[in-house]
Amino acid sequence: KVACKELKTLRNEMRFARGWAGRVKRSKLDQGSTKISDVQDLIEEHDSLLIEMPDVVKKLKQALRGYCICRRPYEGFMIGCDECDEWYHGACIGVSESQADKYEKY
């Protein structure tokens, strides 16, 4: 059994990185219900980790990208256009969630 200081450090960092990745997963980023401030906090926390996860950070940074006619980040209720693949905030285009439920294509 190897028990050097560096190995212990690496194991701890792996544990921290797995915990961080778990928080990203639980943040429901894919559902668009994650607060922008939470995404920013996760990106900042990643920067302090010894273990890098570039694919996950790229996904987080994409969530901060501008969408809609207002060019603000993906947040809250959004509608994806089937023609242009752009995403729009329901409030910006005057469509509520209950109205959107009545349509299959946008």
Side-chain angles (χ1 to χ4, degrees):
K1 186 173 181 177
V2 178
C4 65
K5 182 180 176 184
E6 290 82 7
L7 183 58
K8 287 180 182 180
T9 300
L10 184 57
R11 284 183 179 153
N12 276 338
E13 290 295 328
M14 289 292 292
R15 186 171 44 86
F16 293 144
R18 280 193 297 269
W20 176 83
R23 285 193 300 285
V24 170
K25 196 173 196 174
R26 289 188 301 275
S27 74
K28 299 180 182 176
L29 187 65
D30 294 332
Q31 297 174 7
S33 58
T34 308
K35 293 180 182 176
I36 294 169
S37 60
D38 292 343
V39 173
Q40 292 168 329
D41 290 346
L42 286 166
I43 291 170
E44 286 178 25
E45 188 177 344
H46 174 267
D47 293 342
S48 69
L49 295 174
L50 182 65
I51 310 294
E52 292 185 7
M53 298 184 181
D55 293 340
V56 179
V57 171
K58 181 179 178 183
K59 191 174 183 180
L60 288 169
K61 287 181 179 180
Q62 282 181 320
L64 295 177
R65 195 179 114 216
Y67 291 88
C68 190
I69 54 177
C70 68
R71 303 318 299 163
R72 297 189 66 212
Y74 189 106
E75 183 173 47
F77 171 62
M78 304 282 292
I79 296 175
C81 176
D82 295 320
E83 291 293 318
C84 68
D85 291 328
E86 181 70 62
W87 285 88
Y88 298 92
H89 299 104
C92 290
I93 58 172
V95 178
S96 70
E97 285 186 67
S98 60
Q99 290 171 319
D101 288 340
K102 297 175 185 175
Y103 299 95
E104 290 183 30
K105 223 176 165 182
Y106 301 97

